Amino acid sequence: MSIEVLTAEHVAFRYAGTPVLHDVSLRVEAASMVVVTGANGSGKSTLLHLLAGVEEPTSGSIRRRTGCRLALLPQRTSGIDALPLTVAECVQIGRFTPWRRLGRSDRAAVATIMERLDLGPLAHRRLRELSGGQRQRALLAQTLVQVADIYVLDEPTVALDAASRLHVHELLAERVRAGAAVIFASHDTTDATLADRTVRLAGITGGTLLAT
Ligand SMILES: Nc1ncnc2c1ncn2[C@@H]1O[C@H](COP(=O)(O)OP(=O)(O)OP(=O)(O)O)[C@@H](O)[C@H]1O
Ligand SMILES: [Mg+2]
């Protein structure tokens, strides 16, 4: 039996009166991978922000299954460069909670994800001194080290070389096999081959098209 973890029903969204999404409906199940595609400006990031609860729909509803934890990797992450963080600290942030110190299992999870994303040699480098792909791997590690039922990732592989992209595909497929839902935006056709379901946003001028 499939468990629905996120549901969007007849969602519309406007930025200051400019319509971006119209009548978007989507069901996301546990242990499934959904890839959101569409041209620049078609509303992929907007849809992911709505699904993650960062923005509220102008009309329609977004429902998350009670108790489901969500981790988000936004497309724009330049704000974090203002902090003098090392790669290791950036990844550790993914396990921070206000009520306790990082424990042994947190440190093990940080070490594992850093190894999987080949971040060991970069552990003590400042985030803002990295190449685009290295930086993207560090931010991916920060997101994937989180314990979540739903991972929402906005173009997570855009800066990655072929080998790193493959590692990320393996990591995401593992999360899905372990029962998580993964929703990610991408322009890349190899990313789309991972999907159980593809959602294509056609943009508001042509009406928002959802293909499954
Ligand atoms: N903060 C904002 N204020 C006003 N308009 C915005 C804002 N953010 C995005 N938009 C507009 O909303 C539309 C959808 O933007 P969005 O970022 O969701 O597209 P996208 O599909 O993610 O594009 P890309 O492939 O370039 O990442 C675009 O027309 C964009 O100009
Ligand atoms: Mg976007």
Side-chain angles (χ1 to χ4, degrees):
M1 194 188 72
S2 59
I3 301 168
E4 216 165 284
V5 291
L6 260 184
T7 311
E9 277 180 340
H10 305 296
V11 163
F13 187 79
R14 295 169 176 266
Y15 282 111
T18 306
V20 176
L21 296 171
H22 169 68
D23 200 18
V24 175
S25 295
L26 173 66
R27 284 166 167 52
V28 181
E29 281 142 19
S32 79
M33 178 112 59
V34 176
V35 176
V36 182
T37 68
N40 293 142
S42 59
K44 300 180 299 299
S45 297
T46 305
L47 177 60
L48 296 190
H49 290 171
L50 291 166
L51 292 173
V54 175
E55 303 271 9
E56 291 283 317
T58 313
S59 63
S61 68
I62 307 271
R63 286 196 316 277
R64 191 192 309 174
R65 188 180 169 85
T66 308
C68 278
R69 297 153 297 183
L70 186 144
L72 169 69
L73 176 62
Q75 184 171 20
R76 286 199 199 144
T77 54
S78 54
I80 199 167
D81 289 330
L83 304 170
L85 288 176
T86 64
V87 170
E89 288 163 346
C90 166
V91 180
Q92 283 163 11
I93 284 174
R95 300 292 282 209
F96 279 4
T97 51
W99 55 85
R100 63 173 178 83
R101 288 167 179 269
L102 295 192
R104 191 177 298 172
S105 65
D106 298 309
R107 287 194 295 275
V110 167
T112 302
I113 197 75
M114 287 185 64
E115 192 188 327
R116 295 288 303 274
L117 288 167
D118 200 18
L119 290 167
L122 302 173
H124 303 296
R125 296 268 301 276
R126 301 263 176 224
L127 198 59
R128 59 188 173 208
E129 293 164 359
L130 301 181
S131 77
Q134 291 169 337
R135 185 178 180 285
Q136 187 160 39
R137 282 191 275 130
L139 291 167
L140 255 165
Q142 188 193 73
T143 308
L144 293 179
V145 83
Q146 294 173 50
V147 180
D149 307 289
I150 307 167
Y151 293 89
V152 177
L153 312 164
D154 201 343
E155 301 203 29
T157 61
V158 73
L160 301 186
D161 60 37
S164 303
R165 188 179 289 255
L166 203 61
H167 292 148
V168 172
H169 285 178
E170 285 164 6
L171 281 166
L172 298 182
E174 282 171 23
R175 295 300 155 104
V176 168
R177 281 198 296 275
V182 174
I183 308 153
F184 73 100
S186 177
H187 292 285
D188 186 87
T189 48
T190 60
D191 283 351
T193 60
L194 296 181
D196 295 300
R197 178 182 302 176
T198 304
V199 173
R200 204 179 87 76
L201 297 179
I204 200 86
T205 47
T208 300
L209 176 75
L210 286 179
T212 57

